[in-house]
Amino acid sequence: MAEDGHQADAGARTLAVHAGSAPDPATGSEGVPVHRTTGFAFPTVREMTETFAGRTGRFIYTRFDNPTLRESEEKLAALEDGGPHFHAVLFSSGMAAITAALMAALQAGDHLIAQEEIYGGTTGLLGRVLPRCGMTCDFLTAAELSEPRRLRAAARPATRAILLESPCNPTLRVVEIEAVCRTARELGAAVMIDNTLASPIHQKPLKLGCEVVIHSATKYLAGHDDLTAGFVVASGELLARIRQLRIDLGGCLDPSAAWLLARSMKTLALRVHAQSHNAMAVAQRLQQHPKVARVHYPGLPSHPGHEIAARQMTGFGGILSFELAAEGNAPRFVEALRLIRMVPTFGGLATTVTVPAASSHFCLSPERRRAMGIGEDLIRLSVGIEEVSDIIADLERALG
């Protein structure tokens, strides 16, 4: 594997530019137009009826589907590389996407096994919304999920799905995806994974056996901190249910934002490779710094999931987290940074920092955060595309 993923993912740059981006047949426009319309006209009642029945392939209403949304959907489906039966559905946010995916896979009485170390918003969704829908959920750590006997012991006859996030936010723990998928097939459960941190540039979960891939497109796919969106990639009847839930729940992205997302995705591979290259250099430098106690980055040989990540990823991403040697200094450190801004999101062009206990996982109890490996002093760094020497200089100045 090439350290920055360039050789392994050479085709991704071409797909990011061209997939879904055919010239407009009506005008010859090289760029896909923004179809800012709520509805589409029909010449006859018969054709409208046939279209609502799904027999014409025409567009009906933007909440149902829109040509501008199709471009970024086709890009992501091509980049995730699941084959002709897998398609992407675009949503107004990552949370709208994961909600639809879970509602499509589960019904009242069903049981979900979820990874303990997942995004705080997802943990809140599982704890607050699933019980109201008559669904139950148990949590296993990344290490437990990767152990077949432990996963089998946690399963019930009603277990219908397993939800992963690898690498996970913000501790960067790694799950052995193929091992989970093998066990899940024995159990008759679908494996769903949040692939936001890795991006389709560095990880192809469908090729590892997953049935559903979820993205917060707000992060790397959009990449410029200027829009909110989400994706689900699936196939078959599950895909049909996810599409219907977008209609029923109304989580459709506005066409203007969809156009901006498709444009941003054209540079996805270039951005992610640059961010991963910088993150590796930053992780290596922080690991050597006397005021840093621990660095969490799967690209480091010292990371407990490094060997697994090296097998199932083609690069290690732009996110890392670390802990300072002196407890209680995280607020002082992040407030001392100058180039790096404190922003509770990631994946943009600029390097940002946050304290997860005070942001993404604030809603959880301190005990729950500790179980997930998130201490009060854990610092998450989203590495951007700046000159890496400038990023390191700002970090070292603040550490000093």
Side-chain angles (χ1 to χ4, degrees):
M1 181 194 71
E3 183 175 284
D4 61 0
H6 281 176
Q7 183 175 353
D9 282 298
R13 297 194 293 277
T14 302
L15 289 171
V17 172
H18 291 288
S21 299
D24 179 41
T27 64
S29 169
E30 193 277 329
V32 173
V34 183
H35 291 270
R36 284 209 58 84
T37 182
T38 53
F40 299 82
F42 292 88
T44 66
V45 172
R46 178 187 178 89
E47 189 162 356
M48 179 182 285
T49 302
E50 291 288 301
T51 301
F52 269 88
R55 291 193 285 264
T56 70
R58 285 178 55 103
F59 293 95
I60 300 171
Y61 185 66
T62 284
R63 179 164 56 85
F64 292 21
D65 202 358
N66 181 290
T68 307
L69 275 63
R70 288 275 185 94
E71 180 183 9
S72 53
E73 289 176 338
E74 291 177 12
K75 280 190 193 301
L76 183 64
L79 287 164
E80 286 291 356
D81 197 16
H85 301 297
F86 281 89
H87 300 278
V89 184
L90 179 58
F91 287 86
S92 55
S93 69
M95 289 308 300
I98 198 166
T99 299
L102 289 168
M103 294 300 104
L106 303 170
Q107 60 184 358
D110 285 347
H111 176 245
L112 171 73
I113 297 174
Q115 186 176 332
E116 179 78 58
E117 315 93 336
I118 52 176
Y119 170 55
T122 303
T123 303
L125 171 70
L126 299 181
R128 290 189 294 267
V129 178
L130 256 62
R132 296 174 63 184
C133 299
M135 305 163 188
T136 55
C137 178
D138 287 315
F139 292 89
L140 295 179
T141 66
E144 290 170 337
L145 282 163
S146 300
E147 172 51 52
R149 280 189 291 183
R150 185 68 184 86
L151 182 52
R152 291 189 195 101
R156 306 177 188 174
T159 302
R160 296 289 176 266
I162 299 168
L163 177 63
L164 313 177
E165 182 180 325
S166 181
C168 64
N169 173 23
T171 58
L172 283 300
R173 292 178 182 175
V174 174
V175 178
E176 191 168 1
I177 298 170
E178 283 188 298
V180 174
C181 291
R182 283 194 298 270
T183 308
R185 282 193 291 272
E186 298 174 16
L187 301 172
V191 179
M192 315 167 76
I193 185 168
D194 184 334
N195 200 33
T196 301
L197 263 72
S199 88
I201 302 304
H202 285 331
Q203 188 166 264
K204 312 284 190 188
L206 299 176
K207 288 189 168 297
L208 298 172
C210 294
E211 282 86 4
V212 179
V213 177
I214 303 157
H215 283 277
S216 171
T218 310
K219 311 304 193 298
Y220 287 109
L221 298 177
H224 293 74
D225 296 323
D226 55 8
L227 66 90
T228 303
F231 276 110
V232 182
V233 183
S235 66
E237 180 59 31
L238 191 56
L239 172 69
R241 293 199 294 270
I242 291 166
R243 286 196 189 281
Q244 187 62 48
L245 280 164
R246 184 174 72 178
I247 296 171
D248 295 341
L249 300 177
C252 180
L253 189 63
D254 177 80
S256 293
W259 179 88
L260 190 60
L261 174 60
R263 187 188 70 168
S264 299
M265 288 176 68
K266 291 181 179 181
T267 61
L268 174 65
L270 297 174
R271 289 185 281 104
V272 167
H273 289 316
Q275 288 161 314
S276 298
H277 179 270
N278 282 356
M280 178 66 84
V282 170
Q284 291 171 336
R285 180 65 191 101
L286 287 175
Q287 190 178 44
Q288 298 165 359
H289 200 286
K291 293 188 177 181
V292 175
R294 189 174 295 106
V295 179
H296 308 281
Y297 186 66
L300 296 174
S302 58
H303 188 280
H306 173 71
E307 290 186 8
I308 297 172
R311 287 200 306 269
Q312 67 190 22
M313 301 176 71
T314 57
F316 301 108
I319 299 290
L320 60 94
S321 59
F322 60 98
E323 298 155 57
L324 302 179
E327 293 185 6
N329 274 350
R332 183 181 174 192
F333 166 76
V334 297
E335 291 166 11
L337 293 163
R338 293 293 176 265
L339 175 71
I340 302 168
R341 294 187 290 271
M342 185 162 41
V343 182
T345 188
F346 63 87
L349 300 176
T351 302
T352 61
V353 69
T354 192
V355 179
S359 56
S360 60
H361 292 72
F362 174 76
C363 64
L364 306 180
S365 68
E367 294 76 22
R368 186 67 188 278
R369 289 197 294 265
R370 282 194 292 271
M372 299 169 75
I374 302 170
E376 299 300 309
D377 290 322
L378 183 72
I379 297 163
R380 187 191 73 194
L381 195 68
S382 172
V383 182
I385 65 168
E386 304 98 333
E387 291 292 339
V388 70
S389 58
D390 293 329
I391 299 170
I392 292 173
D394 195 36
L395 291 167
E396 291 186 331
R397 187 192 55 76
L399 284 167

